[in-house]
Amino acid sequence: MKSCGIIGGMSWESSAEYYKLINEQINRKLGGLHSAKIILYSVDFQEIAEYQKNNLWEKSAEVLSNAAKSLEKAGADFVMIATNTMHKVADKVKSSISIPLLDIRDSLIEEIKAKNLKNVLLLGTKFTMEDSFYVDYLKKRGVDVVVPESQDREIIHKVIFDELCLGITKDSSKKEFLKIIEKYDTEGVILGCTEIGMLISQKDTSKTILDTTKIHCNFAVKIMCQC
């Protein structure tokens, strides 16, 4: 089994889900008392959130690159950034190490194409929904992405940072998200923030839900089991 290096803590709520999902899948595949070989480097999200808010992406790239180097030194065979937003600095993190970086966007694109979805709605932080690093990355690879209107983006962003990153789930917020999901005419919905799966799941809508946390973990397990 290969060792998975996770850069987490952004937020720790979704990082805990990464740890749980990967271990559950490894045990299902291998049985017995098998668990996943995981090396977790958990950063302080307050520091990263401040860099995001103040557009200091070079600073956050430095923090994540140092984390990736530490994971490589600790014996990780590959690295994952357990958040969508911080893939804005994925290229810089990737260039700082000699082991592979499993990009959440690549695993998502493969899943979208496997499901033959014609168009998808992107939900995430404002950085993910508005910046080119995510939307353009998907579009250049043939994915038709729909971004919510400004007012909807504000609602989504606020719920993520004020509630989900703190482990808070509210029925009122779930209703707002579902209203937004049904507002746009798409076949699929990208849960493009690793915390949104705490609030929305496939049972909530007839549209195909693309939970990036689960998708990212699925692809990590495939790599880990390529012995």
Side-chain angles (χ1 to χ4, degrees):
M1 187 196 308
K2 291 184 178 179
S3 296
C4 170
I6 301 176
I7 305 174
M10 301 166 282
S11 69
W12 71 263
E13 294 283 348
S14 61
S15 299
E17 188 68 8
Y18 265 78
Y19 186 82
K20 177 174 177 285
L21 287 171
I22 293 173
N23 271 292
E24 285 177 345
Q25 289 185 56
I26 288 291
N27 184 256
R28 273 192 226 106
K29 281 181 175 288
L30 303 180
L33 295 175
H34 282 288
S35 55
K37 290 183 177 179
I38 294 175
I39 308 167
L40 173 63
Y41 191 114
S42 190
V43 304
D44 180 3
F45 191 29
Q46 181 66 45
E47 179 185 6
I48 298 297
E50 289 295 326
Y51 291 150
Q52 290 176 346
K53 187 169 66 176
N54 293 295
N55 203 32
L56 297 172
W57 295 98
E58 289 290 336
K59 289 281 189 180
S60 57
E62 184 179 343
V63 172
L64 267 61
S65 293
N66 286 336
K69 290 174 188 175
S70 295
L71 290 169
E72 182 174 14
K73 288 178 183 176
D77 292 301
F78 67 96
V79 170
M80 308 169 71
I81 303 173
T83 162
N84 286 272
T85 297
M86 293 314 299
H87 278 73
K88 184 176 173 74
V89 299
D91 287 344
K92 292 188 177 177
V93 174
K94 185 177 181 179
S95 67
S96 72
I97 52 178
S98 58
I99 56 176
L101 172 70
L102 179 57
D103 195 306
I104 199 169
R105 297 166 297 182
D106 290 334
S107 59
L108 172 61
I109 290 165
E110 192 167 328
E111 185 75 5
I112 291 170
K113 293 187 175 180
K115 293 184 181 299
N116 293 312
L117 297 173
K118 293 178 182 176
N119 47 40
V120 290
L121 176 68
L122 175 61
L123 309 182
T125 65
K126 287 204 299 184
F127 310 112
T128 298
M129 293 185 288
E130 296 175 359
D131 290 1
S132 62
F133 79 93
Y134 208 94
V135 175
D136 286 359
Y137 194 95
L138 268 60
K139 286 184 175 180
K140 285 177 182 177
R141 286 154 181 82
V143 178
D144 184 4
V145 186
V146 175
V147 177
E149 296 170 357
S150 178
Q151 184 177 354
D152 294 332
R153 295 198 300 268
E154 290 291 340
I155 292 169
I156 296 164
H157 186 85
K158 183 173 176 59
V159 169
I160 290 169
F161 276 92
D162 293 355
E163 298 172 24
L164 300 181
C165 285
L166 298 172
I168 300 167
T169 55
K170 295 181 179 179
D171 288 339
S172 58
S173 295
K174 183 171 186 171
K175 288 176 183 176
E176 288 285 352
F177 270 56
L178 290 175
K179 191 187 299 181
I180 292 168
I181 287 171
E182 296 307 321
K183 180 177 177 180
Y184 299 90
D185 185 21
T186 62
E187 293 182 345
V189 181
I190 300 170
L191 306 188
C193 171
T194 52
E195 284 81 24
I196 300 178
M198 297 164 57
L199 194 66
I200 302 295
S201 67
Q202 187 60 72
K203 66 182 180 181
D204 297 315
T205 177
S206 60
K207 295 184 179 183
T208 300
I209 291 294
L210 299 154
D211 186 333
T212 54
T213 301
K214 291 180 180 178
I215 292 167
H216 208 195
C217 289
N218 290 344
F219 278 76
V221 170
K222 286 181 184 177
I223 293 172
M224 294 171 77
C225 291
Q226 289 174 355
C227 303

